[in-house]
Amino acid sequence: MVIFEKDLAIDLGTTNVLIATKGKGVILREPSVVAMDKNTGRLLKYGMAAQRMLGRTPANIVAIRPMRSGVISDYEMTERMLREMVKSVTSFSLLKPRMLMGIPSGISEVEERAVIDAGMEAGARKVYLMENPLAAALGAGLDLSGADGKMVIDIGGGTTDIAVLSMNGVVESDSLKEAGDAFNEAVIRYIRRKYNVLIGETTAEELKRQIGCVFPRPDVVSVEVKGRCLMTGLPRVITVNSNEALEALEEVSERIVEAIIHVLEITPPELVADISHNGIVLTGAGCQLWGFDRLIETRANIPTRIADDAEKCVSFGLAKALDWLDDMSEGTLNLNRRRQLKA
C-alpha cells in the first residue's frame, strides 16, 4: 500500500537529524544546525551547510543549534529546519506522511508536545513518539519480545539515555544531560584552564574524535590544537595528549557511570541477573569515545559491547517500529501512560 511508503522515522537529535524509511534505511543525515539572517528572519541554510558557518558568520547572519540537551530550545527554528529536511526527502503528494519521532526518556509532557507540534508544522499527518533507548535496542537487533531483561545505553549529542527493557517496554530508565556536547564543553574548559587557550566547539569535537578517551589507552597519542591565547589575544598552537584528554573527560564520564549503576540498583534482581548474562549494549555517537565499553564493563562488572552502526541505531529502530504505527496511540507518552494507569 502507498500509505506505508509515506511513513517517516525521525531521530531529532541535538547534534544530527536522521530520517529513515522502512526498507530504505537512513535517507537523510544532517547536522541539527540552521543559519538565518537576523535582519529579515529568513532561513539561509540548514544541516551541513549551516554547520560550516558556526563561529564564522558576519554580524547579520547567525548559525544556531535549535536543539539542546535532547529537547527543542528554539521551536520556530526547529520547525523550519525539520520542514526543509522533510521536504528534501518527500515528493509532492496530497497524502501527508505519518512520522514516528524519537525522544529522550523522562522528558516532560510539554517538551513532548513541542516535538509533536514541530512534526505537524513540518508536514506530518500524524505524529507518534518512541523513547530513544527502546528504538536504539530495536536498531541494535535486540529481541525485546521475551521477559528477559536487556540494558541499552544511548549516548547522543545532548543526552545519555539508560534503560532496562523487557517485553517491548521500558522497565527502568534514566536520562541525563551528560553526552557529546558535555564532553566538548569539558575539553574547552580543560584547555582554557591548563593552557590559557580558548578553542571553539568544532576544534573540541575534532580533538575528542582524534585522541579522546574515557579509559587509559595502551599507547599515548597526541595532536596539535590551534586556538587563541587569552593572555595575548594571538593565535597559539599547543600539543595535547590522550592522557590529558582522559583527565578532561573524566568528570562527565564518571557521572554517566554513576547513573548506570543507579539504574541497575533500582532494577528488579531477576532482570539484573538477565542483564549480567546478556550484557550491556552501547549505542549513539558518544559511545564511540575510546574505552567507553571497557570503562562500563570494569565499573559495572557486566560484559559491555558497542552496537554495529551505533550512531544510527535509534533511526534504524524507529524505521523498524513503523510497522507498529497502526497499533500505537497518538499524543504524548506521558499522557498515554496516565490514561493506561486510570484504565
Side-chain angles (χ1 to χ4, degrees):
M1 292 177 65
V2 177
I3 187 171
F4 293 119
E5 297 176 359
K6 298 297 182 182
D7 295 339
L8 297 177
I10 300 180
D11 177 9
L12 188 62
T14 304
T15 305
N16 294 297
V17 175
L18 287 84
I19 300 180
T21 59
K22 190 175 71 172
K24 293 184 179 179
V26 176
I27 57 175
L28 177 141
R29 181 188 181 278
E30 291 280 2
S32 307
V33 185
V34 292
M36 63 172 290
D37 189 318
K38 288 195 295 185
N39 297 332
T40 64
R42 187 165 64 93
L43 182 71
L44 301 175
K45 300 286 184 181
Y46 69 88
M48 184 59 72
Q51 187 179 50
R52 296 193 187 102
M53 297 182 180
L54 284 172
R56 296 185 172 97
T57 58
N60 66 308
I61 297 175
V62 58
I64 61 172
R65 295 183 180 274
M67 301 286 297
R68 286 290 175 186
S69 301
V71 297
I72 295 174
S73 62
D74 188 323
Y75 175 80
E76 183 183 356
M77 285 296 106
T78 300
E79 177 264 309
R80 291 168 71 178
M81 174 186 72
L82 190 57
R83 185 194 305 157
E84 292 298 321
M85 291 180 177
V86 170
K87 189 189 300 182
S88 71
V89 298
T90 55
S91 56
F92 176 76
S93 173
L94 294 176
L95 186 63
K96 292 183 177 181
R98 296 186 296 179
M99 295 183 189
L100 176 60
M101 304 180 73
I103 57 170
S105 297
I107 68 172
S108 70
E109 188 175 328
V110 172
E111 291 166 335
E112 290 180 7
R113 177 54 62 184
V115 174
I116 293 172
D117 290 345
M120 296 297 288
E121 290 293 330
R125 183 170 88 255
K126 293 181 179 180
V127 175
Y128 303 84
L129 302 180
M130 175 175 281
E131 290 171 290
N132 283 338
L134 180 57
L138 292 172
L142 299 184
D143 180 8
L144 304 178
S145 59
D148 61 327
K150 307 285 194 337
M151 189 173 202
V152 171
I153 302 164
D154 182 58
I155 307 173
T159 60
T160 294
D161 287 303
I162 306 160
V164 175
L165 309 163
S166 180
M167 299 179 67
N168 290 324
V170 178
V171 179
E172 295 290 350
S173 67
D174 192 9
S175 182
L176 61 158
K177 296 175 181 179
E178 309 286 348
D181 287 350
F183 282 121
N184 290 345
E185 291 164 8
V187 169
I188 293 171
R189 288 195 304 269
Y190 182 87
I191 298 298
R192 181 171 185 158
R193 184 174 66 249
K194 183 167 184 177
Y195 292 100
N196 231 10
V197 170
L198 182 63
I199 62 174
E201 186 178 338
T202 302
T203 302
E205 174 71 24
E206 191 60 30
L207 185 152
K208 184 183 72 176
R209 288 182 182 276
Q210 291 186 30
I211 65 169
C213 57
V214 294
F215 195 79
R217 287 176 179 260
D219 301 311
V220 177
V221 293
S222 60
V223 64
E224 285 191 345
V225 177
K226 298 177 182 178
R228 186 179 78 232
C229 178
L230 293 171
M231 300 292 290
T232 65
L234 299 176
R236 183 180 169 192
V237 179
I238 58 175
T239 301
V240 181
N241 63 47
S242 54
N243 287 338
E244 292 174 302
L246 175 64
E247 184 181 346
L249 302 175
E250 184 177 17
E251 185 177 340
V252 179
S253 61
E254 182 62 26
R255 286 198 288 266
I256 292 175
V257 170
E258 288 175 357
I260 294 168
I261 300 300
H262 171 69
V263 171
L264 287 169
E265 287 174 346
I266 62 176
T267 298
E270 292 82 2
L271 293 179
V272 173
D274 294 337
I275 293 167
S276 66
H277 177 262
N278 296 324
I280 297 172
V281 177
L282 303 181
T283 65
C287 79
Q288 298 177 70
L289 259 175
W290 198 94
F292 232 133
D293 52 343
R294 299 187 187 187
L295 174 66
I296 295 171
E297 184 168 327
T298 301
R299 295 290 300 279
N301 198 28
I302 297 175
T304 304
R305 68 178 178 86
I306 297 174
D308 296 333
D309 273 330
E311 186 178 356
K312 297 179 181 178
C313 279
V314 170
S315 55
F316 287 161
L318 291 171
K320 286 183 179 180
L322 290 175
D323 289 333
W324 302 352
L325 287 190
D326 292 331
D327 299 318
M328 293 178 68
S329 300
E330 293 179 72
T332 66
L333 295 181
N334 283 301
L335 181 60
N336 289 329
R337 286 191 185 109
R338 288 209 301 271
R339 287 170 178 163
Q340 290 169 6
L341 287 173
K342 288 180 181 178

